[in-house]
Amino acid sequence: SNVKLLITDYSSVSYDAFHRGANVIFWWKDKDECMKKYGGKLMLDEMNAFGDVCYNQEELKSAVKKNYKRGQTHFYKKKYKKIVQFDDNKNTERVIDKLRKDNIL
């Protein structure tokens, strides 16, 4: 919960880390190969990723140096807000309310 920088391939933990103030780097060296093997479609791509996207070691090295000591940029905060509608820490309450509304609880 106290990380400054998260490097991930595509993990959902990136959303939590960014919400908590960390910068995120997406390491997509093998993304295209994985997509060919497993198929499907990813929600994130280069256009909406809320962190630097790296495909090789030089890009990754540069991104780590750039992102480790700086705060989140407005550019990536704006991208994140387009994907994540709520950031008020009330997601649990929303889920419980929905479960009650649907007579599950």
Side-chain angles (χ1 to χ4, degrees), residues 62-78:
S62 176
V64 169
K65 286 180 180 180
K66 179 176 74 173
N67 284 280
Y68 184 72
K69 292 190 179 181
R70 77 169 187 196
Q72 293 175 331
T73 66
H74 176 71
F75 178 72
Y76 288 136
K77 286 180 181 181
K78 188 175 173 181

Side-chain angles (χ1 to χ4, degrees), residues 1-104:
S1 66
N2 294 321
V3 300
K4 293 181 181 182
L5 177 64
L6 174 74
I7 302 170
T8 182
D9 57 352
Y10 198 81
S11 175
S12 61
V13 75
S14 62
Y15 294 90
D16 183 58
F18 194 87
H19 174 73
R20 293 174 184 263
N23 285 325
V24 176
I25 296 173
F26 294 96
W27 173 238
W28 287 352
K29 179 181 177 213
D30 300 321
K31 180 181 75 76
D32 292 338
E33 182 180 325
C34 288
M35 293 309 298
K36 284 179 190 174
K37 181 175 181 179
Y38 298 110
K41 183 172 177 0
L42 300 176
M43 188 172 112
L44 289 180
D45 56 33
E46 284 188 7
M47 298 303 295
N48 66 1
F50 47 90
D52 290 352
V53 175
C54 302
Y55 292 98
N56 62 56
Q57 287 182 344
E58 285 304 312
E59 290 174 342
L60 181 61
K61 183 178 177 180
S62 176
V64 169
K65 286 180 180 180
K66 179 176 74 173
N67 284 280
Y68 184 72
K69 292 190 179 181
R70 77 169 187 196
Q72 293 175 331
T73 66
H74 176 71
F75 178 72
Y76 288 136
K77 286 180 181 181
K78 188 175 173 181
K79 286 185 170 195
Y80 179 83
K81 289 296 289 175
K82 286 183 178 180
I83 296 170
V84 178
Q85 182 179 4
F86 301 108
D87 65 354
D88 58 4
N89 295 319
K90 295 183 180 181
N91 287 341
T92 301
E93 289 91 353
R94 273 188 284 282
V95 170
I96 290 171
D97 289 345
K98 179 68 174 152
L99 291 170
R100 285 185 178 138
K101 183 179 177 184
D102 293 346
N103 293 316
I104 295 171

